[in-house]
Amino acid sequence: MKQFIKTTILLLALLLPALAMAYDFEVDGICYNINGNEATVTSKGLYYDMFFVGYSGSVVIPATVTHNGTTYPVTSIDEIAFYCCDRLTSIDIPNSITEIGNFTFGGCPKLANIVVESGNPRYDSRNNCNAIIETADNTLFAGCKNTMIPNSVTSIGERAFEGYDGLISIVIPNSVTSIGNKAFYSCEGLTSINIPNSVTAIGNGVFENCNELACLVVESGNPRYDSRNNCNAIIETADNTLIVGCKNTIIPNSVTSIGDWAFSYCFSLTSINIPNSVTSIGNGAFEGCIGLTSIDISNSVTSIGKYAFFNCGGLTSINIPNSVTSIGDYAFFWCTGLTNIVIPNSVTSIGNEAFKNCWRLTDVYCYIADLSGVSCGNELFNGDHSGRTLHVLQGTADAYRVDANWYPYFGQIVEDIFLGDVNRDLEVNIADANAVIGIILGGSGNTVAADVNGDGEINIADINAVIDIILNGTLN
C-alpha cells in the first residue's frame, strides 16, 4: 500500500502541476479559495523532489478566516484538500462546514483522530467515533485508523476508509445494511473482517488492495451473502457468485461464477484453484494479482472477462481449457511473465489487445481450426515478434499466414500440432491414449489436446478418439 500511495502522490505531482499555487490565500498554514462571500479549504499543493507534500500533524479548521481585511465563513472542504496527506494525524472540523468533497481524506494512513464540532447541521462525529457521519442518512462518510463505527450507522460510504494502512481491525455493527464501492480500498494492515447479517448491499472493490486480508467471514443468517465452507470469501447466495476474495480464499465447488474485480490487486494471492462448478470469470477478477504464479482454470469455464488477468506479471504459462468460447478485451494484457499460452479450438471471440500479455511470450499454441468462425479484436499481441512462434494444427498454417489478426505478431508460423498428440511428441500413438487416461484420473497434462473429439469434456470418448486416429489416421 505504501507503494500505492507513493505512486498516487507522484501522479498528482505529474498530472496536477497547477496545484502548486492554486489557492487564493493561506492563513495559519491552511490554504483557502474564495467562493463569493465564503471560503473553501483546499490543498497546499506543494512539491518536494517530485513528491506531493500536503498537510501534516494536527489541523484545526476555523469557522471563519480573515484575509485582506475581509472575514469569510469557512463552509466547505474540497475533494483534494487532504487527499494523500500521509503525515496528517488529526483533523478538527467546525460546525460551519456544510460541504466536504468525496475522498478528501483518502490515502492519509496516519490519520487517527477526526472530530466534527457539535452543532454542525450536516455532519457529526457521534459517540467519539473518530469519523465523519452524514447525519441525515447515518452514512459513515470518512473514517480513519481509530474509527469505531457507532451502532446508529446504517451505511459505510464509498471509499470511506481508503488508504488507511494503519487500520488493523474494524467492527461493523448490525445496524449497517450497505458498504459502498472501494470502502476499505488499500487498507494494508487489515487482516480480518466480519460482515454482519444485516448487510445486504456490497459495492465493487470493497477490499481491493487489502493485501494482508486473510480471514473474510459473513455472519450466519445473512439473507443475501454467505461464506460457505469456511471459504474466506463473500458469495452472493442466490446466484452462487463469489464477489470478494482474499489471499486465503478456497473457492467452494458450489460457486458458479467469479464476480467482477473479486480478487483485484490482491498482491498476496499466489495460487488459486477454480473448481469445475465455475462457468465464468468476471471482468478484472484477478487484475493486478502480481503474486499469482499459477492458476488452474477448470474445463467448465466458458468465458474470461475483460481485464480478467490484467497485469498478472507472475504468471508464466496459462492453459485455457477447451470449454472457453470468449476471451475479453485486455484479458491477459501486461502478463509480462507469460512465456507460452494454449488457445483451444472452442474459442470464437478474442477481445482487443487480449495478450498484448506479454514481452516474454515466445510460443503460442493455437488449436483453432477454422479462423472464419472467430471474431478477433485489435492488436492481440505485441508487435515485437521476431522470436515468437505460432504453433497451429496441420493443414491450417496458410490461413494464419494471411490473416491480419495473426501473422503480423509472429516470426514464424509452424504446423506442429497433430490432432490426438496429447503428449506433444509429434506422434499419435498409445502413449497419447495413456496421457488422456492420466488426465481423467486426476493427473496433469495438456487438457486442451486431451479433448481430442472437441466436445468440451475429457473422458473415455477421447481415449477412443485417439485409438481411431492411431488405427485410421483420422477420427471416425
Side-chain angles (χ1 to χ4, degrees):
M1 205 287 293
K2 294 180 178 68
Q3 182 60 44
F4 159 76
I5 288 181
K6 288 178 181 178
T7 302
T8 304
I9 292 171
L10 180 59
L11 287 173
L12 282 171
L14 294 173
L15 299 176
L16 301 175
L19 285 177
M21 291 297 292
Y23 50 85
D24 292 331
F25 64 92
E26 180 179 349
V27 175
D28 296 331
I30 301 176
C31 301
Y32 303 89
N33 284 325
I34 298 172
N35 295 313
N37 297 321
E38 300 175 345
T40 296
V41 177
T42 192
S43 170
K44 280 197 169 196
L46 301 177
Y47 299 105
Y48 179 76
D49 287 343
M50 288 299 292
F51 283 97
F52 179 79
V53 178
Y55 297 99
S56 62
S58 298
V59 174
V60 179
I61 300 173
T64 61
V65 63
T66 301
H67 174 64
N68 288 340
T70 301
T71 299
Y72 302 92
V74 181
T75 59
S76 60
I77 302 172
D78 72 28
E79 63 183 6
I80 62 170
F82 297 95
Y83 191 77
C84 280
C85 291
D86 61 352
R87 294 183 294 174
L88 183 70
T89 58
S90 70
I91 187 82
D92 282 66
I93 299 171
N95 58 23
S96 61
I97 296 288
T98 56
E99 185 69 35
I100 301 175
N102 292 329
F103 329 132
T104 191
F105 297 104
C108 297
K110 295 183 180 178
L111 185 59
N113 298 289
I114 301 177
V115 177
V116 178
E117 184 181 1
S118 177
N120 188 294
R122 182 171 180 183
Y123 306 103
D124 69 82
S125 293
R126 68 191 71 167
N127 304 95
N128 299 313
C129 62
N130 280 313
I132 301 172
I133 297 169
E134 289 189 324
T135 306
D137 58 6
N138 296 306
T139 295
L140 194 147
F141 177 80
C144 69
K145 67 179 183 178
N146 285 347
T147 294
M148 297 183 65
I149 305 174
N151 284 323
S152 53
V153 166
T154 57
S155 63
I156 299 173
E158 186 172 348
R159 295 183 184 262
F161 290 90
E162 178 182 338
Y164 295 130
D165 63 359
L167 184 69
I168 297 173
S169 64
I170 192 80
V171 176
I172 301 175
N174 276 318
S175 57
V176 172
T177 60
S178 67
I179 302 174
N181 295 335
K182 297 183 183 290
F184 295 92
Y185 178 78
S186 210
C187 289
E188 188 172 321
L190 193 63
T191 58
S192 65
I193 197 80
N194 186 79
I195 307 294
N197 58 25
S198 57
V199 173
T200 56
I202 296 176
N204 290 327
V206 169
F207 299 104
E208 185 176 316
N209 205 20
C210 293
N211 295 309
E212 298 306 313
L213 189 60
C215 182
L216 188 55
V217 178
V218 177
E219 187 178 20
S220 177
N222 188 295
R224 183 170 182 183
Y225 305 106
D226 69 83
S227 293
R228 67 192 70 164
N229 303 95
N230 300 313
C231 62
N232 282 312
I234 301 175
I235 298 169
E236 284 192 331
T237 306
D239 59 6
N240 296 304
T241 297
L242 191 151
I243 63 166
V244 182
C246 69
K247 68 178 183 179
N248 283 352
T249 294
I250 299 176
I251 304 175
N253 284 322
S254 53
V255 167
T256 57
S257 63
I258 300 173
D260 295 347
W261 325 111
F263 292 89
S264 60
Y265 290 93
C266 185
F267 298 155
S268 301
L269 185 70
T270 58
S271 65
I272 193 80
N273 180 61
I274 299 177
N276 284 324
S277 57
V278 173
T279 60
S280 65
I281 299 174
N283 297 333
F286 295 94
E287 178 180 345
C289 292
I290 58 176
L292 190 62
T293 57
S294 65
I295 188 160
D296 184 12
I297 301 177
S298 69
N299 258 353
S300 57
V301 173
T302 60
S303 65
I304 298 174
K306 298 177 181 179
Y307 303 96
F309 296 95
F310 182 98
N311 194 27
C312 289
L315 286 176
T316 56
S317 66
I318 190 77
N319 190 20
I320 301 169
N322 204 25
S323 53
V324 170
T325 59
S326 65
I327 300 171
D329 296 343
Y330 318 104
F332 296 94
F333 189 101
W334 211 255
C335 288
T336 55
L338 273 183
T339 58
N340 64 85
I341 55 171
V342 177
I343 302 173
N345 188 46
S346 56
V347 170
T348 58
S349 174
I350 305 176
N352 294 323
E353 303 185 11
F355 303 100
K356 198 172 181 180
N357 278 359
C358 303
W359 304 109
R360 294 183 178 87
L361 190 62
T362 58
D363 294 277
V364 175
Y365 296 85
C366 189
Y367 284 75
I368 297 174
D370 182 8
L371 289 179
S372 65
V374 181
S375 170
C376 292
N378 298 321
E379 300 184 55
L380 299 186
F381 303 89
N382 292 324
D384 181 13
H385 63 274
S386 58
R388 189 182 307 133
T389 300
L390 177 63
H391 304 261
V392 298
L393 286 164
Q394 277 191 312
T396 64
D398 287 345
Y400 283 92
R401 287 173 183 147
V402 296
D403 193 313
N405 293 308
W406 297 90
Y407 76 80
Y409 308 108
F410 296 92
Q412 57 181 339
I413 299 175
V414 297
E415 293 182 349
D416 60 2
I417 298 177
F418 296 83
L419 189 63
D421 181 19
V422 182
N423 63 3
R424 285 190 187 163
D425 63 356
L426 303 183
E427 295 181 6
V428 181
N429 52 36
I430 195 64
D432 297 295
N434 290 335
V436 176
I437 293 171
I439 292 172
I440 293 172
L441 294 177
S444 60
N446 184 355
T447 57
V448 174
D451 182 18
V452 183
N453 64 4
D455 66 355
E457 299 180 359
I458 301 173
N459 53 34
I460 190 68
D462 296 295
I463 300 172
N464 292 332
V466 172
I467 294 172
D468 281 344
I469 293 171
I470 294 171
L471 295 177
N472 306 311
T474 185
L475 286 176
N476 283 335

